[in-house]
Amino acid sequence: MTILDTLKKRRTIYQLNKNMPVSDEEVIQVINDVTELTPDAFNMKSARVIVAMNDNHDALWDVIYDAFEGKVSKEKIQTFKDGYGTVLYFIDDQVVENLQEKFALYADNFPVWAQQANGMLQYGIWNALADLNVGASLQHYNPVIDKAVKEMFNVPEHYRLIAQMPFGGIVQEAEPKEKEDITQRVKVFNG
């Protein structure tokens, strides 16, 4: 499979279940590999990942539901809880701040670069999961859930939650994407 095949395969999958097509070890290995291989500016390594599976995954989505005090429907949260696991993405702000002090000339850029690296990590893991035939979606329930997640997983205070990625077996594939007129977003000047 080529990189373009993988990119085409990666879709937002909301209908998940706990029937994984691969082992826990394969999921963890691919998350470890992508985390190690994702580039970032100044080799800062500010991204942090927590993977919640099985009972921890279920408890996480219960905590998320409770954090919203009923303002997010139980049915919506259940679609994520129906999955097998969740990848939690963080930025270690202490790493960012240390580099801001060390390289003051670039201080304003380090938070931006940390976000860019985290986005690449999210996309890389999402594609790698798709390559394993594991469905996923990217959610953003932070900052409402930050305190509860930190307490649940004993997360250091200097870790900032960026996104949540529930994953699992695919119950229903995403609808086909409509092809866009890409020339509206990509302009080429050649010679």
Side-chain angles (χ1 to χ4, degrees):
M1 183 175 293
T2 69
I3 186 76
L4 287 177
D5 292 331
T6 299
L7 295 176
K8 289 174 187 174
K9 188 175 182 179
R10 192 245 17 109
R11 298 292 308 279
T12 297
I13 306 292
Y14 291 113
Q15 300 297 314
L16 301 171
N17 64 28
K18 297 187 185 309
N19 302 322
M20 290 289 284
V22 295
S23 70
D24 290 1
E25 292 77 19
E26 289 173 277
V27 170
I28 298 304
Q29 186 61 57
V30 81
I31 291 171
N32 286 340
D33 289 346
V34 173
T35 301
E36 184 175 1
L37 295 170
T38 299
D40 55 5
F42 284 71
N43 199 28
M44 75 170 98
K45 299 182 189 311
S46 63
R48 302 291 182 263
V49 174
I50 291 176
V51 183
M53 295 191 291
N54 301 306
D55 291 344
N56 286 304
H57 162 78
D58 291 345
L60 170 66
W61 288 99
D62 289 339
V63 164
I64 291 172
Y65 178 75
D66 291 345
F68 278 93
E69 300 173 340
K71 292 180 184 116
V72 176
S73 76
K74 186 82 167 171
E75 294 77 23
K76 183 170 187 175
I77 296 298
Q78 188 63 45
T79 63
F80 306 128
K81 185 177 175 180
D82 286 344
Y84 185 80
T86 301
V87 182
L88 298 167
Y89 296 93
F90 298 84
I91 289 176
D92 184 340
D93 284 328
Q94 197 169 59
V95 169
V96 175
E97 290 164 12
N98 289 342
L99 285 166
Q100 286 177 304
E101 289 174 18
K102 187 174 180 180
F103 301 100
L105 188 60
Y106 300 105
D108 291 345
N109 291 329
F110 282 107
V112 174
W113 292 334
Q115 285 281 357
Q116 291 170 345
N118 206 282
M120 287 189 289
L121 176 63
Q122 294 166 31
Y123 194 57
I125 288 176
W126 200 352
N127 279 295
L129 289 174
D131 213 27
L132 295 174
N133 296 312
V134 173
S137 68
L138 192 61
Q139 304 302 315
H140 301 91
Y141 285 99
N142 46 297
V144 176
I145 66 171
D146 290 5
K147 182 178 180 196
V149 168
K150 285 183 176 184
E151 288 173 2
M152 181 176 186
F153 295 108
N154 196 27
V155 176
E157 194 55 41
H158 53 92
Y159 283 24
R160 184 166 30 98
L161 184 59
I162 303 299
Q164 308 83 53
M165 184 179 285
F167 65 88
I170 299 171
V171 173
Q172 182 178 340
E173 295 284 348
E175 294 292 321
K177 264 188 166 180
E178 187 177 313
K179 194 89 166 138
E180 68 178 292
D181 178 2
I182 199 64
T183 63
Q184 297 302 306
R185 294 199 298 146
V186 178
K187 302 293 182 190
V188 178
F189 298 88
N190 187 7

